Amino acid sequence: MRIAVLTGGGDCPGLNAAIRAVAQRGWTMDDEVCGIHYGWSGLTGEGEMHTLSPIEVRDILHESGTMLGTSRTNPGRSKEDLEEVVRNLRRHAIDGLVAIGGDDTLSVAAKLHEAGVKVVGIPKTIDNDVPGTDFCIGFDTATGVIADALDRLLSTAKSHARIMVTEVMGRDTGWLAVVGGLAGGADFIAIPEVPVHIDYIIEHAAQHIATHRFSVMAIAEGTQVEGLEVPKAEVDASDQFGHVRLADRGIAQRVADEIERRTGIDTRVTVLGHLQRGGTPSVRDRYISTLMGSAAVDFLHRDILGCMTALKGQEIVSVPLSEIAGKTWSVPPELYELGRRFFRTMAALESPQGT
Ligand code: F6P
């Protein structure tokens, strides 16, 4: 087969490991493997791609980012753009396509499948919000960055008896905040799925300061905080999928300002931003990327098409793209409640008054 691989959407650690696995698995089957440049944009116009060589992918397993480049180009926006992608795939004699991406990229892949393209998706996003899989490439490394940052913030928070408000990514879901926050020992976690009132945050901060003299909070960038003026993110700055830049809302800064204004407690802000998308991929990200990249090629050869590779327990299985396209995997309320009860109970147990 002549297989093509692309990465779309935000980059994350583990993409290169997946590209390498697609190429190496393909070569064991005598496939030719092409790399498409900058996501779907490499299949518009004349198309931009090249045939991968072993030397190119040999040493990329541990490297972050994507050797192919990525973009938030959305050919699914119009029939003409989608047809152009199909034409380019035909013109370059591509027999099968592996699209590595989050919900946006996989939704385009689902449309291409309907248009007759042989396509298999691989889920990646540090947000970890693609349904149908236990795990998305990039999530593990990103939560490691958050936990490490919270460890570092804890020592300075304790030293200065301060509140540290930490903003983490997570556009629609709070997987990063919950998993990174629990792993890093945040005493307060706020996520997009559960709106929270500023009074509640301030009450928590004051209580934690009273019992511990410090507080370290993890707040997802997409969190809705009631009772607080937060400007809407600029729609003009939205990408082709209509996503606004949530970091522009400055939610952590606004929460911190309000805490300080109303309590007088010294409060500082750290926005982790794109640090969460870089760094050496974790073992789990490299491992799952390798399994998924290899499985994607197997699926193409076995005509298991219009699906994505999904981790279910210890196994890689196929999940139809039609089942997951346009959907989001949210943090289950029980998990968030567990986190909330956990830090509430700990605060009460550790308080000198036992309250
Ligand atoms: O989709 C992953 C993500 O990292 C989100 O958490 C975040 O809101 C967004 O990408 C940022 O995108 P960009 O790199 O385009 O600013």
Side-chain angles (χ1 to χ4, degrees):
M1 290 179 88
R2 187 166 146 85
I3 289 176
V5 55
L6 65 79
T7 49
D11 72 324
C12 68
L15 289 176
N16 281 328
I19 295 166
R20 170 180 176 268
V22 168
Q24 292 196 339
R25 182 64 182 151
W27 293 329
T28 64
M29 310 245 208
D30 289 332
D31 293 338
E32 195 179 340
V33 184
C34 299
I36 297 167
H37 304 180
Y38 297 100
W40 297 117
S41 120
L43 287 170
T44 58
E46 289 299 296
E48 204 190 324
M49 65 179 81
H50 75 283
T51 303
L52 295 177
S53 67
I55 201 150
E56 276 180 285
V57 303
R58 200 179 53 195
D59 296 326
I60 61 171
L61 178 62
H62 62 288
E63 280 177 12
S64 216
T66 161
M67 65 166 290
L68 296 174
T70 185
S71 70
R72 295 196 189 274
T73 311
N74 180 10
R77 282 194 304 183
S78 77
K79 198 164 159 278
E80 293 71 33
D81 288 355
L82 209 65
E83 281 169 359
E84 188 173 44
V85 167
V86 177
R87 260 199 317 277
N88 265 321
L89 287 167
R90 287 212 185 104
R91 203 157 57 85
H92 290 276
I94 302 300
D95 301 311
L97 174 66
V98 178
I100 310 173
D103 169 45
D104 297 333
T105 307
L106 298 175
S107 298
V108 175
K111 288 183 183 166
L112 287 175
H113 172 64
E114 281 167 29
V117 172
K118 291 188 175 188
V119 60
V120 172
I122 296 181
K124 73 84 218 165
T125 164
I126 65 161
D127 288 4
N128 201 42
D129 58 0
V130 175
T133 178
D134 296 348
F135 180 85
C136 295
I137 293 173
F139 178 63
D140 192 60
T141 311
T143 47
V145 171
I146 295 169
D148 179 58
L150 293 176
D151 286 350
R152 290 163 193 259
L153 290 169
L154 184 69
S155 58
T156 174
K158 278 183 177 167
S159 305
H160 287 265
R162 276 177 179 159
I163 297 172
M164 293 289 180
V165 182
T166 318
E167 182 171 310
V168 305
M169 281 187 169
R171 197 197 297 280
D172 305 308
T173 63
W175 288 106
L176 287 168
V178 168
V179 177
L182 285 174
D187 54 78
F188 189 89
I189 298 168
I191 63 173
E193 292 91 327
V194 185
V196 58
H197 201 282
I198 186 67
D199 293 350
Y200 183 78
I201 302 180
I202 290 175
E203 185 201 316
H204 168 82
Q207 193 195 19
H208 211 268
I209 284 284
T211 54
H212 294 69
R213 305 195 65 173
F214 70 89
S215 170
V216 177
M217 304 185 176
I219 301 201
E221 61 182 357
T223 303
Q224 302 305 319
V225 180
E226 294 162 351
L228 192 67
E229 276 293 303
V230 179
K232 287 220 174 334
E234 283 288 329
V235 177
D236 288 353
S238 67
D239 62 27
Q240 290 190 8
F241 289 90
H243 303 306
V244 292
R245 277 191 220 154
L246 285 174
D248 293 353
R249 296 166 74 225
I251 189 70
Q253 186 65 56
R254 278 160 213 283
V255 165
D257 289 348
E258 194 63 6
I259 294 174
E260 209 165 46
R261 190 180 72 77
R262 282 168 52 180
T263 65
I265 303 164
D266 216 10
T267 306
R268 295 289 187 273
V269 176
T270 305
V271 179
L272 293 182
H274 291 81
L275 289 173
Q276 294 158 101
R277 296 232 299 253
T280 310
S282 67
V283 168
R284 188 161 166 80
D285 272 322
R286 296 181 200 199
Y287 173 62
I288 304 295
S289 298
T290 302
L291 294 189
M292 286 190 174
S294 168
V297 175
D298 290 345
F299 289 169
L300 284 176
H301 277 269
R302 288 160 54 200
D303 267 343
I304 305 172
L305 305 168
C307 66
M308 75 170 181
T309 58
L311 182 72
K312 290 280 181 189
Q314 298 297 317
E315 257 185 286
I316 304 292
V317 299
S318 68
V319 168
L321 289 170
S322 57
E323 277 179 19
I324 58 111
K327 297 187 186 144
T328 303
W329 185 34
S330 301
V331 172
E334 319 81 68
L335 176 60
Y336 182 62
E337 270 313 307
L338 172 80
R340 184 142 63 175
R341 268 205 307 278
F342 186 74
F343 57 66
R344 278 274 165 181
T345 313
M346 289 309 289
L349 286 176
E350 289 173 20
S351 111
Q353 300 84 18
T355 52

